[in-house]
Amino acid sequence: MDFTVALAQIKPKLGCVADNLALIEEAVERGIREQAGLVVFPELALTGYFLKDLVPEVALPLDAPEIRRLAELSRHIGIAVGFVEVSGDYHFYNAALYLEGGDIRHLHRKVYLPTYGLFDEQRYLAPGDRFRAFDTRFGRMGLLICEDMWHLSAPYILAMDGATTLICLSSSPGRGISEADTLGSTASWQKLTTATAMFLNSRVLYCNRVGYEDGVNFWGGSEVVDPSGTVTARGAILDEDFLVAGVSGETLRRERISSPMMRDENLFITLKELKRIGKERNR
């Protein structure tokens, strides 16, 4: 089916949940005014990214008033948003929610926590342990959080689980310089989103944040990519933006007919060979 998505390329305040919730509410209301069916926010939009020892202070259980407020807003528009979740046994997760119709439809906990370069997520957060697609009024979707998308198995699992739309929430810092004199991280992400969409015959909705934290700049560049790998809309680089774009059901149908990689993918061969590799590695 056709729908309209809004990518809210915001600048969260580090550790300021109340301020960030107000920012999110404002963007949700704008999405409703602009008749979007879904609004997507960046990774850790409720808290900021480089939290370190602030993690326990900003973490929320699923029944927190802030989450209930987002659920209430989702009666009018679908919402995908990142936050720090605390579980009943006091584990903390870099998490993302998909809310729709007043309810939490899906919770994803970031599986791949980076610990290289300027990243140190595993020191403060617990990893998730699953990738699951889920049903929405816009079709079957999957959630990924930033580093998750760099592991090919993650979007592949979601696509094989029936997801035709992959939503990636990101807090990607600007790093390096590419041959085209753009940020290296920008060039890398743009290659990744288009290749993922093309090989999995799936839409990719990528929402990245902007702003500075601890001297690190986040570059934005949120984008909507159709199942052929064509970028249909892209947000500003380094500046806040609110990107509204149409998503076409006909484009998905046409691409899956003309280039039927998902139809022809043999999951059983993949499972068989992965089991073989696992046995060989355990010898």
Side-chain angles (χ1 to χ4, degrees), residues 161-278:
D161 199 21
T164 55
T165 301
L166 303 175
I167 303 174
C168 182
L169 285 59
S170 182
S171 286
S172 173
R175 294 179 294 155
I177 299 294
S178 73
E179 293 180 359
D181 290 330
T182 60
L183 286 168
S185 50
T186 302
S188 296
W189 268 104
Q190 289 173 353
K191 291 175 184 176
L192 177 64
T193 55
T194 55
T196 299
M198 180 174 61
F199 284 112
L200 297 179
N201 294 145
S202 300
R203 312 176 183 105
V204 172
L205 309 178
Y206 173 71
C207 189
N208 190 27
R209 63 161 290 180
V210 292
Y212 281 88
E213 283 180 10
D214 284 353
V216 176
N217 193 16
F218 299 89
W219 58 272
S222 304
E223 56 186 21
V224 177
V225 187
D226 77 13
S228 70
T230 301
V231 177
T232 60
R234 179 172 288 157
I237 302 297
L238 301 176
D239 290 322
E240 292 175 280
D241 204 353
F242 192 82
L243 188 67
V244 179
V247 177
S248 167
E250 173 58 26
T251 300
L252 176 66
R253 186 190 74 86
R254 186 170 61 247
E255 189 63 26
R256 291 216 165 189
I257 292 172
S258 64
S259 184
M261 267 82 77
M262 284 296 95
R263 184 199 68 187
D264 297 341
E265 182 70 16
N266 193 319
L267 178 61
F268 301 102
I269 289 178
T270 303
L271 290 171
K272 182 184 71 173
E273 294 304 314
L274 288 175
K275 288 179 181 178
R276 174 186 61 79
I277 293 167

Side-chain angles (χ1 to χ4, degrees), residues 38-233:
L38 168 64
V39 58
V40 181
F41 292 90
E43 175 183 15
L44 297 176
L46 264 173
T47 62
Y49 182 76
F50 288 111
L51 292 161
K52 301 179 182 179
D53 293 334
L54 286 175
V55 164
E57 305 301 319
V58 300
L60 299 173
L62 293 181
D63 61 355
E66 295 87 350
I67 303 300
R68 291 200 300 269
R69 174 59 180 154
L70 292 173
E72 181 62 28
L73 289 169
S74 78
R75 295 184 185 277
H76 311 286
I77 188 172
I79 301 171
V81 64
F83 74 114
V84 178
E85 179 207 1
V86 58
S87 64
D89 54 357
Y90 301 104
H91 284 70
F92 301 100
Y93 298 94
N94 183 338
L97 290 174
Y98 185 95
L99 306 106
E100 185 181 278
D103 295 316
I104 295 172
R105 291 295 181 90
H106 187 70
L107 167 70
H108 173 63
R109 294 167 170 170
K110 189 174 183 178
V111 173
Y112 293 105
L113 303 176
T115 57
Y116 56 86
L118 50 81
F119 303 108
D120 198 15
E121 290 189 36
Q122 284 191 32
R123 181 176 179 182
Y124 305 98
L125 299 159
D129 62 1
R130 68 191 64 184
F131 293 102
R132 301 282 169 83
F134 56 96
D135 293 317
T136 76
R137 66 190 181 97
F138 308 112
R140 197 156 172 83
M141 296 186 172
L143 278 177
L144 298 163
I145 302 176
C146 210
E147 187 78 9
D148 287 340
M149 196 163 177
W150 285 97
H151 294 261
L152 295 178
S153 58
Y156 175 81
I157 289 168
L158 292 175
M160 294 308 295
D161 199 21
T164 55
T165 301
L166 303 175
I167 303 174
C168 182
L169 285 59
S170 182
S171 286
S172 173
R175 294 179 294 155
I177 299 294
S178 73
E179 293 180 359
D181 290 330
T182 60
L183 286 168
S185 50
T186 302
S188 296
W189 268 104
Q190 289 173 353
K191 291 175 184 176
L192 177 64
T193 55
T194 55
T196 299
M198 180 174 61
F199 284 112
L200 297 179
N201 294 145
S202 300
R203 312 176 183 105
V204 172
L205 309 178
Y206 173 71
C207 189
N208 190 27
R209 63 161 290 180
V210 292
Y212 281 88
E213 283 180 10
D214 284 353
V216 176
N217 193 16
F218 299 89
W219 58 272
S222 304
E223 56 186 21
V224 177
V225 187
D226 77 13
S228 70
T230 301
V231 177
T232 60

